[in-house]
Amino acid sequence: MATTNGSNDLSSEMEVDAFRRLFPLRFHERHLLESIRPDGRPLGRARDTTISLGAVASANGSALAKIGCTTMLAAVKLEVMTPKAESPDEGCIAIDFHMPPICSPLVRPGRPAEAAPVITKQLTDTILSSGMIDLKELSLVSGKAAWMAYLDIYCLDADGALFDAALLSAVAAFSHLQIPVVSLNDDGRIVLISEENSGAMWEKEPVNKEKRKLKLESVPFSLTCLLHKNYILADPSDEEESIMETFLTVVLDSSFQLVSLNKPGGPGLAHTSAIQDCVGINKTESERTSEDIG
Amino acid sequence: MEYVSPEGLRLDGRRPTEMRQLRAEVGVVAKADGSASFEMGNTKVIAAVYGPREVQNKGQQMNDQALVRCEYSMANFSTGDRMRKPKGDRRSTEISLVIRQTMEACILTHLMPRSQIDIFVQVLQADGGTRSACINAATLALADAGIPMRDLVTSCSAGYLNSTPLLDLNYVEDSAGGPDVTVGILPKLDKVTLLQMDAKLPIDIFENVMQLAIEGCKAVANYIREILLENTKQLEFRRGV
């Protein structure tokens, strides 16, 4: 934590901490005047992002994503189901976002966090409408069997920018997903072929020959920005989000087309120029992050 | 089905008195006052402690000691088949109660009256022994939060299959239908705080199995002490002491 004055003795450090707690808005505005934030980042910079694939061994696809301290664990499990009558060639994706009580002191057990169903809905809308996944790839036997992909995302540490981290972990989990090999057995039911049974005789050929990965088109990338007076702060931490409540989430895909825009009210009003600035920041940050992740 | 081969090896290649590999890390949740992750083989759990803090439900406030609350929940993807209802089902409620009572016995609650200590445990991968892993993770998280305790609480399970006492059962061995003894001890004080068993076992064999579980608890306690020592050295280093 940077002290605003240079001296290091305990009494001045206590003052800074107390000032931060008692007058949080003024503390942050003092930093914004110098175009910097309390953790030392410039206004338009996102926090360091890391992704690790395959975090959950028992799931078909999984990933752990961290933006700064915000940690999300996403896992995809596939189950066989009968497709709907109006779309016999398509599988289905069910997305669920959980905020267990470990992630934040504000989440009480027994009462789910307010943000959880909101982010679930946003994620579902964004992922399905972005066209990242072609549901026809999840089909097995037309009209009879298709994959239902259950995506569960758990927030393990909530330090701001929850939607960004959740979307990142969801995309990473889908990129890690391997569809297992199955075949149709005599009763007309789909069974998993595991490596031991591959020598056994089957009535029909395996429905899919080998474990395959999903093809992901147009991967969406999201960035949340806080709007406060004339300042735009990219990738807010939890402390910043609780003080300045107006935020704008911009989701772009890999060809920098706009997938989704969300500004859910808030005391601040935004000029259209601010929105264009946010889109610009998203572009720069997504280029920077994809360089880091490779 | 054979759980112990004639050469004396179990299904995952361990010897009957061998524990699974332990891995622990302190301070994994930045927002929590204390947190830890604990792995016993493929079972991975994260524990977070918030407190001591103000009591949220004033009706439950106690004037002479702290209120300890615990919630145990499993992630949907933690078991082989996806779980429909990860918390609020009977098993989770029972384990929450067991963990709360176990930890309450060792926290010095009279030092923090009118306050609340919350222990939340989240199971990310379940492969048998989740109860024990949760208690071990909770101990580390409480130590990380600096909450005063009488002693560490460590826990381990043991069973009896194919006429052999087995230490630290995994999911396959646990579902075999044999007895499963879970023990929680305070290692320095050498006292038992948690003891649960299901299925049937003759008394003399039970003593052997329980003794084996207690040995396992002591091994976990040594490992936890190492982790805490390492953590303290890191803190000293960062402070420039």
Side-chain angles (χ1 to χ4, degrees), chain A:
Chain A
M1 250 179 282
T3 50
T4 44
N5 45 355
S7 65
N8 270 339
D9 62 280
L10 202 58
S11 63
S12 64
E13 275 184 18
M14 286 302 282
E15 276 190 46
V16 172
D17 276 341
F19 188 65
R20 187 179 192 151
R21 288 292 180 96
L22 293 172
F23 306 104
L25 194 55
R26 277 165 54 185
F27 178 81
H28 282 88
E29 282 182 350
R30 286 266 280 271
H31 285 79
L32 291 179
L33 284 176
E34 317 281 331
S35 297
I36 204 167
R37 290 146 84 171
D39 56 3
R41 289 186 279 157
L43 297 188
R45 171 83 60 88
R47 292 170 287 183
D48 290 335
T49 308
T50 46
I51 300 183
S52 119
L53 298 178
V56 179
S58 53
N60 299 102
S62 59
L64 180 76
K66 279 182 78 138
I67 296 186
C69 285
T70 302
T71 311
M72 297 280 167
L73 180 61
V76 185
K77 271 193 137 13
L78 295 173
E79 277 181 15
V80 182
M81 58 136 199
T82 32
K84 289 194 275 237
E86 47 287 356
S87 43
D89 286 325
E90 291 184 351
C92 198
I93 303 181
I95 302 180
D96 210 358
F97 178 75
H98 308 257
M99 284 185 70
I102 58 172
C103 72
S104 160
L106 302 171
V107 178
R108 292 165 60 168
R111 186 183 285 187
E114 259 180 19
V118 173
I119 296 186
T120 303
K121 175 94 187 14
Q122 271 184 287
L123 276 174
T124 314
D125 289 344
T126 306
I127 291 182
L128 292 180
S129 66
S130 70
M132 173 174 84
I133 297 176
D134 184 4
L135 292 176
K136 294 195 167 34
E137 287 202 53
L138 292 176
S139 166
L140 280 171
V141 177
S142 174
K144 294 224 192 74
W147 288 117
M148 171 75 141
Y150 287 104
L151 172 67
D152 291 296
I153 305 179
Y154 279 80
C155 178
L156 300 179
D157 201 342
D159 194 22
L162 298 182
F163 178 73
D164 301 345
L167 186 63
L168 197 60
S169 66
V171 167
F174 275 118
S175 75
H176 179 251
L177 178 65
Q178 284 205 324
I179 302 187
V181 185
V182 290
S183 85
L184 209 50
N185 75 359
D186 309 340
D187 306 325
R189 284 171 49 209
I190 299 273
V191 283
L192 276 177
I193 299 184
S194 49
E195 279 77 48
E196 295 103 60
N197 292 343
S198 53
M201 300 274 289
W202 294 97
E203 279 284 307
K204 299 200 171 78
E205 281 290 297
V207 174
N208 41 353
K209 295 280 179 205
E210 59 192 359
K211 278 192 172 200
R212 63 182 169 90
K213 289 194 155 191
L214 280 182
K215 206 159 47 102
L216 299 178
E217 319 268 353
S218 71
V219 169
F221 181 80
S222 145
L223 187 69
T224 305
C225 298
L226 278 182
L227 304 171
H228 180 70
K229 298 189 186 164
N230 297 334
Y231 303 107
I232 300 179
L233 287 77
D235 190 19
S237 71
D238 188 53
E239 192 188 350
E240 292 166 345
E241 269 184 3
S242 58
I243 304 168
M244 302 172 249
E245 289 163 342
T246 315
F247 62 91
L248 173 65
T249 305
V250 177
V251 183
L252 300 178
D253 72 2
S254 36
S255 47
F256 300 126
Q257 290 190 313
L258 196 58
V259 173
S260 131
L261 196 63
N262 183 27
K263 181 185 181 298
L269 303 173
H271 277 289
T272 41
S273 57
I275 300 182
Q276 285 165 349
D277 289 338
C278 288
V279 175
I281 297 178
N282 189 335
K283 260 201 211 164
T284 11
E285 287 309 305
S286 66
E287 279 164 356
R288 209 171 62 88
T289 312
S290 37
E291 276 167 25
D292 292 340
I293 298 176

Side-chain angles (χ1 to χ4, degrees), chain B residues 5-230:
Chain B
S5 75
E7 299 90 46
L9 292 178
R10 290 150 79 172
L11 293 172
D12 50 5
R14 288 186 282 154
R15 299 239 152 247
T17 54
E18 196 183 322
M19 280 191 77
R20 290 177 289 183
Q21 195 180 42
L22 301 175
R23 271 197 59 203
E25 210 181 308
V26 179
V28 292
V29 177
K31 278 245 147 229
D33 293 323
S35 60
S37 89
F38 200 87
E39 295 178 32
M40 290 171 93
N42 283 333
T43 300
K44 298 188 183 23
V45 314
I46 292 190
V49 167
Y50 289 95
R53 55 179 177 176
E54 201 179 327
V55 181
Q56 280 166 347
N57 185 356
K58 283 284 174 0
Q60 289 176 336
Q61 182 173 293
M62 292 190 280
N63 287 329
D64 57 344
Q65 54 176 322
L67 178 70
V68 177
R69 279 202 311 182
C70 176
E71 191 182 71
Y72 165 96
S73 83
M74 300 182 76
N76 280 336
F77 45 75
S78 58
T79 55
D81 300 316
R82 186 175 181 266
M83 290 185 69
R84 301 293 150 170
K85 215 177 161 218
K87 52 178 164 173
D89 65 311
R90 287 196 294 248
R91 181 176 172 272
S92 301
T93 319
E94 189 242 336
I95 299 186
S96 304
L97 183 73
V98 163
I99 298 180
R100 175 171 72 78
Q101 290 179 327
T102 310
M103 306 319 292
E104 213 170 5
C106 79
I107 297 177
L108 296 168
T109 49
H110 62 274
L111 292 180
M112 299 161 284
R114 288 180 288 274
S115 67
Q116 173 176 298
I117 298 174
D118 286 324
I119 306 172
F120 300 125
V121 192
Q122 178 78 27
V123 177
L124 299 178
Q125 254 185 243
D127 187 25
T130 47
R131 200 174 301 227
S132 304
C134 290
I135 291 177
N136 296 330
T139 300
L140 270 173
L142 284 168
D144 185 37
I147 291 183
M149 295 195 278
R150 285 189 183 89
D151 192 1
L152 304 174
V153 185
T154 56
S155 166
C156 192
S157 66
Y160 189 75
L161 288 171
N162 290 143
S163 318
T164 330
L166 300 174
L167 180 60
D168 196 12
L169 305 172
N170 61 20
Y171 180 70
V172 182
E173 292 166 343
D174 203 355
S175 6
D180 173 18
V181 178
T182 307
V183 177
I185 62 168
L186 303 174
K188 269 265 165 60
L189 300 176
D190 215 8
K191 291 193 187 226
V192 173
T193 159
L194 166 71
L195 180 58
Q196 285 185 309
M197 189 190 104
D198 51 21
K200 287 193 293 207
L201 205 52
I203 295 203
D204 47 349
I205 299 184
F206 169 73
E207 284 183 15
N208 288 346
V209 173
M210 182 169 133
Q211 206 45 49
L212 184 59
I214 292 183
E215 296 299 311
C217 292
K218 296 213 172 113
V220 174
N222 285 340
Y223 179 71
I224 286 184
R225 275 197 207 102
E226 272 174 32
I227 295 282
L228 286 175
L229 204 58
E230 186 60 46

